[in-house]
Amino acid sequence: MSDVSMTYTANTSKDMMEENNPMYTTSAPKRNSTVNFFILSILFLVCSMSLFASGPWQTFTNTSHVFDIITQGDKLLFSSWGGVIEITAPDANTSISLWEQTNSWNTGNGLPNNDIRHLQSMSNTSALWFGSEIDGISIVSPKGIQVLNESIGLPSNRVRKILEAGDRILVATASGIAEYYYLPGVSFPLMLHRYNRQNTGGVLLSDELTGMALSSNRYLWLCSSAGLNYVHLDSLDIDSAWKVLNTPNVLGIAPTLEINDNYIAVGTGSSIYRHSVNPYQPGWTTFVAGVQLKDETISTFALDGNDDLWVAYGTWDEDKMLYRDQDSLKALISRIEPNGTVQHFVFGENGLGNRCVSRILCKDGNVYLGTWGDGVYRLEDGGWNSFKANGIGFPKITQIAVDKNHTVWFSSGNYAAGSTRKSALGVSRWKDGIWETFNVANSPLHSDNILAVNVDSRNRKWFGAWDVSTAQSPPTWRHGLTIWDDQDNTWTYMSNKGTRLWNDETGAWSGFLPGLPSLMCAVIPYIGTDLYGNVFVGESGKGFTIFNPEDDSLGTLQIPSLNRQVVNYMCHNGRQYFFGSRIDRGLAIWNHDSVPFTGDTDHWVVPPCSELLLSSDIYGVVTVNSPYEGIQHWIAASTGLFMWDETYWYKYDTAIKRYRYNALTNEWDRNLLYYVDEERLYGAERTFPTCIFKDPFERIWIGTVGNGISMYDPVKERFTNYYPANSPLLSAHITALGYEPNQGLLLIGTPDGLNTFEIGKTVKNPSKLVTLKAYPNPFYPSPGNNVQIVNEPSGEMPVGTNGCRIYDSSGALVMKLKENDFFRFEWDGRNKAGNYCASGVYFFVISTKDKEVGRGKIMLIRKD
């Protein structure tokens, strides 16, 4: 888990961010070029990471899928598709399972990309270099985060390896090598040279490198699908010093490269070739599948200090970012000793799990395994112990549901059969800061491609999967839905064939039971509930099957206006039912509070505007009661953001605040304009909604595909925008929104993990007045700046109605305060007349429902 909890200053604009982070561009340095003072001056201005936005945020990514591992003293760092985690050993004898997470980095706190493939710790500068797959290098140091990419000379943003070579740093990329160094007094690395096939006399076999290593005799080794190069580190500038070492069976394969003090090893799919680090010694030692190795594709390998070869197995799919299903593999890793002794470590033995090993690090007598889903293992006393970060089980969040115990559920499915990139990894549960992930391998869940998740009136969890194609999905996956009652741990499976029950004793599903309900089909994009406790199971191409709270089927529902019944949304607000489609005819409204049914056409309303009627995907509907205009139904669609007040249809936009649909002309007329300097929808960026959510305080949150979140306040009638440039959002693409009442958190799902944003609480936890704190103190009153009065350690006032009075030094009453949405008191420094108070000491007295009294003082300082 990446957990970053921060407090930010409010109202920082994108322009201010750009002003504080000057961009710079320079041409790629030529070979043997010098760096002039002008470039040095600009590079010196590269700023460290700045954090700014409103309110406290948290970031949660998935870091159990490991790409690389390094050590740094008593610390271990590992990278993943969710950023980088640092863990620290409390002492030398502590098992890795008890190490503590001490740091993390991701897009929420400064990285340009979470997909970090390579790590390097620099001993000369104490900096960490993170190489990504598509966004170059991030340099983390006490000064902040700096970025190297193609715009400032990096040969390619696709980084293959980073090495420290004395006072130089070498970076292998998909388009050649870059050599950097640090000029004394300059904190930004300067490029010294670039090496590629053209400027090495054609000896470098390919610019598209797949590996790089530096041997103890100072030879630099480089591999590609064209073969293996070597050159002495002191002779990089000499074309004739670049050599080719003939390697068996490398051509056409993307080889990988590993090294120790004595040997260099090249891996080529299912074989490994080992050679002395002395390039002039003859001969290769070959390790092949079916002899020393298992007859499987090699995922990764390493050489330890005893010249043992460690080999792991698994076939990587870069498009889907996963390893092949492990059912066919008999061994997870193998160790081959110099004398030929082979030891295989199999799944489920000696502490190992069943996930592919993606990285092996042999360092200081230790062997570490990075796995694709189970975190990091270390070999300890002949067995394997592991560290798995407490985090969400996948990057991409599809839907969010909160149950009656305030536990949050996240799904990871997609509109596709089988696995897709960063998704289809089951469901995750978040309760009291603890994450747990459920999938086919560890629970009766019927599929990992869970697209729909919701909670019924009995607090049972409903999980719906998209279609399953046997050609694309694992054979253990099923379509349909699973219902889990986690109170008594009973599981029910339902499909178009009927209903099954899970038998805990046998660990298997029963046959389909007679007399129990079934679905029309088993492709489930959405599961909705109404205010009567009924559950609407959306079945793409069929409409809805409706179940009452006792699981009796109330029948099926086909929407008259939909041609293909490709449903993907429903909601009930107590006045109407709203239904949405995907790649169909958009929005349909049952304009009555009775449960809709097929055949009744009296209550159906369809929008008159084509944007909501033809080929529009509906992502959500919320209803608010505006203090000025009454009932408003807001609709997020692929064609824009709309509102219906039950008389007129409106469309909100970035140029004109609001249009009103003219049924006579079939056009949108201007209705409301933005004020000068008023913040605009989507931050004035051209994008469209992906989800919409109404919080308990009647504010509307709109997620977008390209610029974060817009929040609309119906009282102020204003938009406020949050995007990666002014907040710690993991991504500009928002996939789902929800609310956790215990902590008062807006839940923000993205393709790269979860952000939470504290927006106000609706649940008060029992507490007593313990320690009252006012901050900031001293307090400088100004518009938008308040002093907070908080009851520590709970952070909120006791249950019940509490009051706070502010007195001046003479004992005169200055102001009476009410609790805010966070169950705290806040004061803007004004008196009852609305005027700012004079500088001085002020006293606050808090009284509770149970007659408790607490006191404190505030130093107020006027700047004028």
Side-chain angles (χ1 to χ4, degrees), residues 240-311:
S240 61
W242 288 75
K243 305 292 183 181
V244 175
L245 185 64
N246 292 325
T247 309
N249 301 322
V250 171
L251 293 179
I253 301 173
T256 52
L257 198 60
E258 292 295 333
I259 202 166
N260 69 358
D261 289 343
N262 300 317
Y263 295 101
I264 182 130
V266 180
T268 60
S270 59
S271 300
I272 295 175
Y273 306 96
R274 191 183 68 188
H275 192 281
S276 169
V277 293
N278 181 352
Y280 301 103
Q281 283 192 3
W284 289 86
T285 301
T286 303
F287 303 88
V288 296
V291 184
Q292 304 94 333
L293 310 178
K294 287 293 182 178
D295 192 13
E296 298 286 350
T297 302
I298 295 168
S299 61
T300 187
F301 62 96
L303 291 163
D304 67 17
N306 298 319
D307 295 335
D308 293 351
L309 176 65
W310 294 80
V311 184

Side-chain angles (χ1 to χ4, degrees), residues 24 68 241 293 421 594 708 751 846:
Y24 52 90
D68 199 8
L293 310 178
R421 195 175 181 87
S594 60
I846 293 175

Side-chain angles (χ1 to χ4, degrees), residues 556-788:
T556 61
L557 172 65
Q558 281 72 50
I559 313 300
S561 61
L562 299 185
N563 292 331
R564 297 163 50 225
Q565 298 299 315
V566 185
V567 296
N568 75 332
Y569 180 78
M570 73 77 55
C571 77
H572 176 223
N573 61 20
R575 294 169 59 90
Q576 300 95 355
Y577 287 81
F578 292 83
F579 299 95
S581 68
R582 175 177 177 265
I583 321 174
D584 206 331
R585 292 179 62 85
L587 180 71
I589 304 166
W590 176 265
N591 197 24
H592 195 268
D593 196 28
S594 60
V595 178
F597 59 92
T598 301
D600 190 329
T601 60
D602 291 341
H603 301 306
W604 288 104
V605 173
V606 294
C609 42
S610 60
E611 290 96 331
L612 281 172
L613 188 59
L614 300 174
S615 300
S616 174
D617 293 354
I618 303 302
Y619 301 124
V621 180
V622 298
T623 299
V624 297
N625 196 341
S626 165
Y628 317 111
E629 296 183 327
I631 294 293
Q632 296 180 336
H633 308 288
W634 289 66
I635 303 103
S638 59
T639 49
L641 179 66
F642 300 87
M643 188 268 283
W644 178 51
D645 66 2
E646 302 186 4
T647 302
Y648 296 104
W649 289 88
Y650 300 88
K651 181 177 181 179
Y652 287 79
D653 204 356
T654 57
I656 305 299
K657 186 170 185 178
R658 192 171 78 179
Y659 297 89
R660 189 169 72 182
Y661 185 73
N662 188 325
L664 297 177
T665 63
N666 294 324
E667 293 179 349
W668 292 98
D669 297 333
R670 295 184 178 186
N671 180 250
L672 286 177
L673 301 178
Y674 286 103
Y675 293 106
V676 176
D677 297 328
E678 182 180 353
E679 197 165 359
R680 301 190 175 203
L681 177 66
Y682 313 140
E685 294 287 333
R686 299 306 301 175
T687 184
F688 61 85
T690 53
C691 50
I692 191 167
F693 180 77
K694 183 185 76 169
D695 70 24
F697 313 103
E698 292 290 304
R699 296 169 299 198
I700 301 170
W701 301 81
I702 306 113
T704 74
V705 74
N707 206 42
I709 302 172
S710 289
M711 186 274 284
Y712 181 75
D713 187 333
V715 176
K716 298 179 180 178
E717 295 187 315
R718 295 291 187 272
F719 289 104
T720 304
N721 297 291
Y722 304 89
Y723 36 82
N726 75 348
S727 73
L729 278 176
L730 284 164
S731 172
H733 181 189
I734 309 303
T735 57
L737 294 167
Y739 175 75
E740 195 282 322
N742 259 342
Q743 301 177 68
L745 303 177
L746 180 72
L747 307 168
I748 307 166
T750 79
D752 289 309
L754 173 72
N755 285 111
T756 67
F757 179 29
E758 191 173 297
I759 60 171
K761 298 183 179 183
T762 57
V763 175
K764 220 180 214 188
N765 297 304
S767 64
K768 296 288 185 180
L769 286 183
V770 181
T771 302
L772 295 174
K773 292 185 178 180
Y775 65 90
N777 199 1
F779 168 53
Y780 299 86
S782 61
N785 188 27
N786 298 332
V787 60
Q788 303 285 326

